[in-house]
Amino acid sequence: SLLMSDTCNAARATKRRLATIVEAAAKDSIGTERWEGMSATEQTAAAHVYTGDCAQHVRNIILAAMSAAGASHLKADLEESLSTFLSFERMSTEVISLIRAVYKEMHHQGDYAKGKGRREFIPWLVEHHGTALYFPIERADGGRQDLDFDGKATALTNWSPFKMGLVYDQLEHAMEAAANDGSFLLRPELCAFS
């Protein structure tokens, strides 16, 4: 028999416990006398449960290590800049933090009450880029192990480094307008996407 699960600790522990239960049940089914008369090879063939990890989740172990190394490298490179932020501003070099922030702000079904995905971003996207290929980030809430891979693939498809220049330009114009007139940020018609 083969038991397969994802690679989180709870799933692996459950898998090990279930394998022990199945092996004991197989041994009981065979009977003690017959079991003791079997060779180790025969016992393994009759009752051993093999366990495996989902290949989709195994890749995430490697990617998570790569992501952690990248975040550490960025943190070292940006140490001086990052030190200017206060702790409650929650600045991070971890890409998963960015993906969660994008998800909360831009999710097309409005999963976060303060997010602008359904109210502003999707109408803007349809009006200005109706034929654009867009992949929504799905389920970035909670502790999803595969978020590091799935979220990055979606985010990079939608907001590649080549497209980020436009975003930075729009942000710069908005910040300049706010610097000239602080009430600019309080305008109800303000749309960061236009």
Side-chain angles (χ1 to χ4, degrees), residues 56-69:
Q56 295 296 334
H57 288 90
V58 169
R59 72 160 187 233
N60 295 320
I61 293 171
I62 297 164
L63 291 171
M66 292 168 60
S67 186

Side-chain angles (χ1 to χ4, degrees), residues 152 155-168:
K152 282 179 187 172
L156 288 174
T157 300
N158 293 330
W159 297 286
S160 73
F162 304 109
K163 297 176 187 173
M164 288 309 293
L166 175 62
V167 174
Y168 290 134

Side-chain angles (χ1 to χ4, degrees), residues 111-185:
D111 274 9
Y112 182 60
K114 296 177 185 176
K116 296 183 175 51
R118 183 178 8 206
R119 290 189 316 271
E120 296 179 22
F121 177 66
I122 296 301
W124 173 85
L125 183 66
V126 169
E127 181 181 338
H128 297 282
H129 302 281
T131 60
L133 182 61
Y134 172 72
F135 297 98
I137 293 179
E138 297 292 339
R139 292 181 55 220
D141 53 343
R144 293 194 58 217
Q145 181 185 18
D146 49 359
L147 177 61
D148 206 28
F149 175 78
D150 294 345
K152 282 179 187 172
T154 302
L156 288 174
T157 300
N158 293 330
W159 297 286
S160 73
F162 304 109
K163 297 176 187 173
M164 288 309 293
L166 175 62
V167 174
Y168 290 134
D169 289 344
Q170 290 176 335
L171 181 61
E172 182 179 16
H173 292 306
M175 292 297 105
E176 287 172 353
N180 292 331
D181 178 9
S183 67
F184 173 82
L185 295 174

Side-chain angles (χ1 to χ4, degrees), residues 93-108:
T93 58
E94 294 177 9
V95 175
I96 285 183
S97 296
L98 175 62
I99 291 168
R100 287 186 198 283
V102 168
Y103 170 79
K104 287 174 72 174
E105 183 66 18
M106 310 294 278
H107 192 262
H108 65 285

